[in-house]
Amino acid sequence: MAAEASSSVPALATSPLTEEELTLTVKWSGKEYTVRVCGSDTVGELKRRICEVTNVLPKRQKLLYPKVGSKLADDCLLLSQIPIKTSLKMTMIGTVEDEIFVDQVDSPEIVDDFEIGQEEAVDIKDKEVNKQKLRRRIEQYKITLRNPCREGKKLLVLDIDYTLFDHRSTAENPLELMRPYLHEFLSAVYAEYDIIIWSATSMKWVELKMGQLGVLSNPNYKITAMLDHLAMITVQSDSHGIIDCKPLGLIWAKFPEFYSPKNTIMFDDLRRNFVMNPQNGLTIKPFRKAHANRGTDRELMKLTQYLLAIADLDDISVLNHKDWESYNEDNVKRRRHT
């Protein structure tokens, strides 16, 4: 399995960068911090790197740099479009905050999700500039294991917001916003899959959500690891511009003896998050308006059947996960005739 995984993940040491890296100095709160970026990175990516060293969330940062005006307020702007020089120092204004459970409500909601065509997705995945970004992320991001990887198990990577939890509705108790059958789902699939949580929010927020929902303390399953927004990368789409995504190659490079494209599946309510690994993503129906839909939502029950049905396959990346409901129906029919 390790050999298979290595052919799917960009090499760390042997692939030279085709663009020069910038080492920037950021002044904040009386100290200086160093961050590494490239011209193909966005302002939003720069803010992620600054967050790594200062713990100031990107949405709380205001960047000041000589003669660029308001350009650093546009998170989608490429750094190559801004006359930034390594020798100059940038100032950041921002405050570290202890996040509370309702804090993320003021984050922008993505409602215009889109599907990138297969041909363009392959082009994005294979572009050298995006492979470089993935290599840098592999070098920079540390995945802390909460529980050991298990030999012979497949890998399930799960988003949080709108996948496991309705983060926009309000409630006195967060359990009221949890997707129905969450613990039953995780308990059942844990028999065949290691489970990694990957959210586009900060790690404090991930730990808080999973802790309050009882995911980190449930005796019937264990979470292998949790990833946050700092593990994501930005890529350029010809049809949709700059987008953030979750490259599974990061996980495959960190644990090649356990996980590869052949044994990994990822659930997310946003299709764009799969753009670097389109064959491994399943778009889950968003769980919104929890109070109205809690009594009728059966998505996790049905997906449990699918995950267990494909668990014995040697290569689940050959499946079209868009057809997962049809796959369930076909299995039911076959069982009826046997």
Side-chain angles (χ1 to χ4, degrees):
M1 183 178 298
E4 295 166 351
S6 62
S7 64
S8 304
V9 178
L12 297 183
T14 59
S15 299
L17 293 176
T18 59
E19 60 172 331
E20 182 182 358
E21 283 194 345
L22 298 172
T23 301
L24 302 180
T25 301
V26 179
K27 298 174 63 177
W28 173 69
S29 192
K31 296 182 180 180
E32 295 186 352
Y33 300 86
T34 300
V35 294
R36 291 165 50 204
V37 290
C38 287
S40 61
D41 288 331
T42 62
V43 173
E45 181 73 10
L46 170 60
K47 289 181 178 179
R48 280 203 186 107
R49 305 281 68 79
I50 294 173
C51 177
E52 272 188 323
V53 295
T54 65
N55 290 322
V56 177
L57 296 180
K59 66 179 181 178
R60 303 300 186 202
Q61 296 177 20
K62 181 177 181 180
L63 303 180
L64 305 177
Y65 191 78
K67 299 180 181 180
V68 300
S70 61
K71 289 183 177 180
L72 287 171
D74 184 354
D75 287 352
C76 292
L77 196 65
L78 295 176
L79 296 181
S80 60
Q81 299 173 280
I82 305 173
I84 289 180
K85 298 180 180 179
T86 299
S87 58
L88 294 181
K89 296 179 181 180
M90 179 180 300
T91 299
M92 187 266 285
I93 300 174
T95 303
V96 175
E97 59 188 18
D98 291 326
E99 293 176 293
I100 57 176
F101 202 76
V102 297
D103 181 62
Q104 292 293 329
V105 172
D106 67 355
S107 63
E109 181 174 13
I110 300 175
V111 294
D112 60 338
D113 192 27
F114 48 79
E115 183 157 11
I116 294 175
Q118 182 67 23
E119 185 174 332
E120 185 180 1
V122 171
D123 180 57
I124 291 173
K125 179 173 64 71
D126 291 340
K127 278 185 177 177
E128 181 59 28
V129 64
N130 295 331
K131 291 181 179 181
Q132 292 169 13
K133 289 184 178 184
L134 176 54
R135 282 193 288 270
R136 293 204 308 275
R137 193 63 72 254
I138 291 168
E139 292 173 352
Q140 296 168 357
Y141 191 84
K142 179 181 179 181
I143 298 179
T144 301
L145 289 178
R146 301 182 65 91
N147 291 286
C149 306
R150 298 177 296 164
E151 187 173 355
K153 301 299 181 182
K154 288 182 168 55
L155 175 63
L156 172 63
V157 181
L158 294 170
D159 177 47
I160 298 178
D161 290 341
Y162 291 146
T163 297
L164 308 180
F165 176 81
D166 174 11
H167 77 120
R168 287 275 165 173
S169 297
T170 58
E172 293 183 3
N173 189 323
L175 295 176
E176 298 175 27
L177 305 180
M178 181 176 70
R179 193 162 204 156
Y181 307 104
L182 174 60
H183 294 299
E184 293 87 347
F185 164 74
L186 294 175
S187 298
V189 301
Y190 181 68
E192 303 292 343
Y193 295 80
D194 282 348
I195 301 166
I196 287 181
I197 305 294
W198 192 342
S199 173
T201 54
S202 71
M203 186 57 72
K204 286 184 179 179
W205 183 237
V206 176
E207 291 176 343
L208 182 60
K209 282 182 181 175
M210 294 296 94
Q212 293 203 10
L213 295 180
V215 170
L216 302 182
S217 58
N218 194 290
N220 298 318
Y221 58 84
K222 296 182 183 298
I223 302 301
T224 300
M226 298 194 297
L227 282 65
D228 66 356
H229 68 110
L230 295 175
M232 299 174 69
I233 65 172
T234 56
V235 298
Q236 174 81 43
S237 163
D238 293 335
S239 60
H240 298 286
I242 300 294
I243 57 176
D244 290 332
C245 66
K246 301 174 180 178
L248 289 172
L250 169 65
I251 299 174
W252 298 332
K254 296 289 188 179
F255 309 104
E257 66 273 33
F258 294 101
Y259 311 128
S260 76
K262 289 187 174 184
N263 69 359
T264 303
I265 185 169
M266 182 179 185
F267 289 1
D268 203 301
D269 67 295
L270 294 176
R271 289 182 290 267
R272 64 186 68 183
N273 282 330
F274 306 139
V275 72
M276 285 292 285
N277 28 258
Q279 288 301 116
N280 298 91
L282 185 153
T283 308
I284 191 170
K285 179 182 177 181
F287 179 58
R288 296 188 175 97
K289 300 180 180 178
H291 299 297
N293 297 322
R294 193 167 53 224
T296 58
D297 189 285
R298 300 288 185 273
E299 193 82 348
L300 293 182
M301 286 184 64
K302 294 184 291 184
L303 283 166
T304 300
Q305 298 174 18
Y306 179 66
L307 288 176
L308 296 181
I310 67 175
D312 290 334
L313 299 180
D314 292 332
D315 185 358
I316 60 177
S317 69
V318 301
L319 298 172
N320 184 350
H321 295 306
K322 295 178 185 177
D323 298 331
W324 70 269
E325 291 182 282
S326 299
Y327 192 94
N328 276 1
E329 293 172 0
D330 290 343
N331 277 339
V332 170
K333 290 178 182 178
R334 282 196 293 269
R335 288 197 297 269
R336 285 176 179 171
H337 290 85
T338 58

